[in-house]
Structures are given as C-alpha cells and as structure tokens.
Amino acid sequence: MSKYWSDAIKDLTPYTPGEQPKVDNLIKLNTNENPYPPAPAAIEALNSFDKDRLRLYSDPDCSALKEGLAEYHGVERHSVFVGNGSDEVLALAFMAFFRQPEPLLLPETTYSFYDVYCNLYDITYEQIPLTAEFGIDLADYDRPNGGIIFANPNAPTGRALPLAEIEALLQRNTQSLVIVDEAYVDFGADSAIELTRRYDNVLVIQTFSKSRSLAGLRVGYAIGHPDLIDGLERVKNSFNSYPLDMLAIAGATASLQDEDYFQQTNQKIIDSREWTAQQLAQLGFDSLPSCTNFLFTQHKFLAGAELMGYLRGNNILVRHFSKPGIENYLRITIGTQQEMEALVETLRNHPDL
Ligand SMILES: *Cc1c(COP(=O)(O)O)cnc(C)c1O
C-alpha cells in the first residue's frame, strides 16, 4: 500500500495464477499447460525468424495471424480479433461490452479471472450456481442482464454444454452479448464458432496456450460478428497498438499449418485423461466427466488440501481451490502418459490408500 495508490486499485483483488516453480525436477500438473512441444512448424518459424527485424514495430493489425485464423476456422478476416493471450482478449471484451446498467451473468464456479475483470471495470455481476452435478443450466440465465459469459468446457469442472443449448440461449437472449470462452474446446467439446456466422450476439474466445502448446508465446483470439470485432479494436487501439510481438505472430501463425501434429497431441492427451480417470477411480477418486486437458476429482475420504500437500511433498504439483463447495476437489492437468503413471504410482503409495 502506498499513499500514491488511487482509490480504484486499493480495492482490487488480483487473479492468482498457479505456481510457476523455479526448480525443474517437478511434475507440473497445476496450470493446464500442454506437456508436448509446440508444433514443428511453429518451432521452425521461430528458429528462422530474422532477428534484425526486431528493431521495427510489429504489425499493429496482426494481419498474417488474422488471415491464418480466418482460413483455419472458415470465417471472414473481419470476424477475427487477436490479443496477448486470451486473458487480454477477455479483459478488452469486458471493457468493450459488459459495462452495462444490467448485471453480467456468470457461473458461480468458473474461470476466476471473470470476477477480477468485473472489479477492475466496476461491472456489476451475478454469479449463477452450478447444478448439483457441477453443470451449467442455461435456463438459469433467462433473466435481465447486461451480458453473459461462461467457459465451455467450463473450468475447473471440465464439463461441456452441447452447441444446441448455446444456440437456444442466443435465440432467447437477444438484447445482450454472450461470450463463450473456449480455452479447452479442442479436448473434446464442440466450438460455437459456427454460430458466429449466424448470430451477432455471440463472441467466441480461444487461445494458443492449451491445445497448441504455446502458453509462453501469449496469443489468444476472438471470433464474432465484424461489428463486435470493431468494438474490440477500438478498445485495443486505445490501450496498446502492438500487443503481439513479431515472434508471437510468426509462431502462432505457423502452428496453424500443422494440423496432423495438433490432432495427434490432442488425442494423446485425451487418451491419457481417460486412462488416468480409470486409475483414479480404482483408488477411490470420483472425477467429473472431462472434455478438457484436466480432471476435476475428489477422493472418497481424503481431503483435497491434504492430497495436494502430499503430492507436493512428492514433487507433483496439482491445483486446489479453497473455495467453499469445491474445496475437496483437485484439478489435475493431463501431462504425458509417463507423468500420469508417476502420479498414479505416487497416489497408490499414499499411506491411507
Ligand atoms: C487458460 C485459460 C485462459 C487464458 O489463456 P491465455 O490465452 O493463456 O491467456 C482463459 N480462459 C480459461 C477458461 C482458461 O483456462
């Protein structure tokens, strides 16, 4: 605290990211990073990048990346916005769309950055409880609102909504924008991008951080009606002309060209996820069905915090949230098959298992 702080920052509660340990003998299953390297095409683009060019500013419009994404997703170029990680895209979107007289609606248990942005921008919001099975029931969102946001699949639960339910919501909720955060969609859910071609009240946000193994490059994007994209550009250009550096643009654009590698690594993670869920079940864990690269799981009698500490003592990091209602759960990122075998072996050696 300093006397120079403005009143606005005194009351902020910033987001707490998962630990990024300084030592490297740990099995890191706590921040949903991808255990496999980025696509060979992305690595090659970064290796062959002409560093002399770094004296120039990067392309403020990120045209190459937008065109690559437009082609990849079969949308027009003016339907694509890119940013420095999807966290930045979300931050700009909250600013652009959600500062409304009516409250923003979001699930009570979801990505915890959403309420951080609400506090940053003074957006009033209502948290809608999940169902008893930790699902999202979109009928609960039929109430006056200044916008709706949810992650699909949701985090940290891992559950996904069918596209038909999202489309039905778009048909009912025509006076405000619906944002679907699809950070994990490539691990087994259906993307709402196709709905952006027919509905102007939906914005879909995706990232290169999870399924494309590029968390450290910081690239995210939004797809929606060109008028929505225009709104995002207005905020972005009032904030930072060059949020993506040249290396990020080059690496992300190239990664889109390696579809086979993308499909193969995603499938490996899905296979390891299903294997891990089965093994955990044999050890007395109950996992929610997951469409993501993590499992949200609870043990029959061992407490979540205790298990996290035990794993930490054995050099395995997992995420635990002390939030009431989910405090007994662990969120375990799917690593390589070998890492998941080490996790299962370590749990099997727990004195009470
Ligand atoms: C990881 C994650 C993000 C942020 O991704 P970045 O692109 O790395 O900023 C956004 N939303 C959800 C739900 C996430 O899990």
Side-chain angles (χ1 to χ4, degrees), residues 32 84-88 90 111 114 151 155 181 183-184 207-210 215 218-220:
N32 297 342
N84 189 263
S86 59
D87 285 339
E88 183 183 80
L90 285 163
Y111 188 39
Y114 304 152
D181 179 351
Y184 301 103
T207 175
F208 284 74
S209 297
K210 314 281 165 52
R218 311 302 306 128
V219 184

Side-chain angles (χ1 to χ4, degrees), residues 14-51:
Y15 177 75
T16 315
E19 181 185 353
Q20 293 295 348
K22 297 290 182 291
V23 291
D24 30 71
N25 59 337
L26 294 176
I27 296 184
K28 197 171 175 306
L29 307 177
N30 66 332
T31 51
N32 297 342
E33 289 144 324
N34 198 307
Y36 299 109
I43 305 231
E44 170 52 26
L46 294 174
N47 282 341
S48 61
F49 182 83
D50 174 10
K51 281 90 182 165

Side-chain angles (χ1 to χ4, degrees), residues 124-182:
T124 57
Y125 60 100
E126 274 176 40
Q127 293 177 304
I128 316 283
L130 298 182
T131 65
E133 296 75 39
F134 290 100
I136 292 173
D137 182 353
L138 291 178
D140 297 339
Y141 293 70
D142 293 339
R143 59 176 90 181
N145 69 78
I148 296 175
I149 186 166
F150 53 88
N152 192 49
N154 196 19
T157 63
R159 281 188 176 272
L161 284 167
L163 217 46
E165 286 181 29
I166 297 175
E167 179 163 12
L169 175 73
L170 299 181
Q171 287 166 351
R172 300 192 301 269
N173 190 87
T174 53
Q175 298 308 307
S176 76
L177 181 65
V178 176
I179 293 188
V180 187
D181 179 351
E182 296 189 335

Side-chain angles (χ1 to χ4, degrees), residues 12 26 50 85 91 121 137 186 223 253 266 297 310 312 332:
L12 293 182
L26 294 176
D50 174 10
Y121 296 127
D137 182 353
D186 298 320
I223 294 186
T253 306
N266 288 345
T297 192
Y310 167 76
R312 178 85 183 127
I332 304 176

